[in-house]
Amino acid sequence: MPAGPGTPIVNLCAAVRQGSGCVEDFFRHVRALDETGFQVGMITVVVDGTEIFDPALRNAAAGDSRLRIVLEGGPIATVETMAERSVGWARAANLALEASLDHPSDRTLWVEADLDFDADLVRRLLLAGGDIVAPRVHCDGRFYDTWGFRTKAGRRIRFDKQLLSLDRKDGLIELASVGSCLLFPTEILRRSVRLPGNYPDGLLVGFCLEASRRGYRVACAPEIIVRHPSEAWAKQLYSLSRVTVEGADGDESLQDIGAHSAAGPYAEFIAHPLRKLLRRRLLSARLGLLRYATYRFALTADQGLDIRVRLGGETASAPGFSRVYPLYPRRLRDDFAAIGQRLSLGLLKRFGRNP
């Protein structure tokens, strides 16, 4: 249906992994969008691989003339860190955003394909006003995107009370960056703003920061909520299933590790729960006496992590394991910063005041 005079056109962009199981739900949500006051232009989806093999994608392409599928191509080199993963994520997102410019639009919606969103999502975001505007993202009723949403001072937002305690202007909470789902003027893309591949301040965070430097306002519409499926979050967790500590006195395999897990098989995500585990199990770590230590990791068949910690540093390679990564020394200022953050967030939880 052609758009009437003054009716804004909104292009939708997303990235999906073939065989992930979210494809059918994503297109069901897209088809159900209530286009009152706007029109969906092009739906651009970038997918992994050099050909389409997912039946759900084939069916979607056959059933919707607005859909354009962009193939990402072959895999990049071995990925063990978020810094390396971010390069691939940024490349995929930018392929979709670049291709969407082939169809003229007034606004562009970036939305993660595994999100559950209501039919009135785009309409409500348009009515919310502002430039770059995002809904709140929840998982099991709790604030989810603790990486992308950051205060104007650059602090990561950890939970709802922290977000809702911030000042509002015209019903919107101004932020430095948002993530997961955001609606923005397509003009930003025409001005060559894209997702940078660096970590930890790239991807959608970097996109928002660059747009802000060009005068665009970044905000959250707190009354609008999209949902991240809890089962999808569970699939992102990798348990520390086996940890072996190698030292001058031989090897020690830590038993009864418990529920320690990383939010992905990446070195940056593994280091924190690994330090936490060692503080509980090794007296030297608990007392802050570990001067130097490195670690390697390997994936197990049941989505776990086999980790080898070397006290005193690496002396030899470990076939089948990752590159070596530093675990200690941990700078004292990092420990003090973490303590300060926990205290300030604790005050916020207790008294409802933003730190």
Side-chain angles (χ1 to χ4, degrees), residues 134-317:
R136 268 192 288 167
V137 188
H138 274 186
C139 181
D140 275 346
R142 297 181 179 181
F143 188 77
Y144 173 74
D145 197 337
T146 59
W147 181 80
F149 281 68
R150 304 187 186 186
T151 68
K152 295 287 283 183
R155 293 191 182 97
R156 289 172 57 179
I157 294 174
R158 306 288 182 171
F159 46 87
D160 272 324
K161 185 178 285 189
Q162 183 185 6
L163 174 66
L164 299 178
S165 70
L166 299 172
D167 294 336
R168 301 193 190 194
K169 183 178 180 181
D170 301 326
L172 297 175
I173 300 173
E174 291 199 41
L175 299 171
S177 65
V178 291
S180 298
C181 175
L182 58 160
L183 182 73
F184 56 89
T186 304
E187 177 186 65
I188 295 178
L189 297 179
R190 291 194 287 266
R191 295 181 65 180
S192 300
V193 178
R194 298 291 187 272
L195 277 67
N198 54 295
Y199 181 83
D201 297 317
L203 300 175
L204 288 173
V205 172
F207 178 87
C208 291
L209 294 178
E210 179 59 30
S212 294
R213 284 191 282 267
R214 300 184 185 221
Y216 295 95
R217 176 188 178 195
V218 180
C220 171
E223 307 306 321
I224 308 173
I225 295 176
V226 298
R227 297 160 297 276
H228 190 282
S230 56
E231 62 270 18
W233 166 241
K235 291 178 181 178
Q236 294 176 223
L237 296 177
Y238 284 72
S239 63
L240 276 60
S241 55
R242 183 165 55 245
V243 176
T244 303
V245 179
E246 303 173 344
D249 298 329
D251 297 353
E252 177 186 359
S253 180
L254 301 186
Q255 305 296 324
D256 301 322
I257 293 174
H260 290 273
S261 59
Y266 309 115
E268 297 93 336
F269 290 170
I270 295 170
H272 174 69
L274 182 55
R275 290 192 196 101
K276 187 175 180 180
L277 172 64
L278 292 181
R279 281 197 300 269
R280 292 183 177 181
R281 303 299 297 275
L282 296 181
L283 181 61
S284 57
R286 187 158 56 249
L287 296 177
L289 301 178
L290 275 182
R291 297 302 182 187
Y292 189 61
T294 58
Y295 73 99
R296 297 177 184 268
F297 65 91
L299 301 182
T300 65
D302 57 349
Q303 194 167 311
L305 294 166
D306 185 359
I307 300 175
R308 301 182 70 85
V309 177
R310 177 72 185 181
L311 303 181
E314 198 66 27
T315 58
S317 62

Side-chain angles (χ1 to χ4, degrees), residues 17-26 54 56 113-114 235:
R17 184 163 296 280
Q18 298 194 72
S20 63
C22 70
V23 177
E24 290 185 357
D25 284 341
F26 173 71
D54 191 326
D114 58 353
K235 291 178 181 178

Side-chain angles (χ1 to χ4, degrees), residues 49 76 97 107 113 127 135 182 236 251 258 272 302 333 344:
I76 59 176
L97 295 173
R107 295 261 173 169
L127 291 173
L182 58 160
Q236 294 176 223
D251 297 353
H272 174 69
D302 57 349
R333 68 181 184 182
S344 62

Side-chain angles (χ1 to χ4, degrees), residues 16 71 82 108 119 123 154 184 250 282 312 321:
V16 301
L71 293 171
M82 273 298 296
T108 299
R123 178 170 60 85
F184 56 89
L282 296 181
F321 283 76

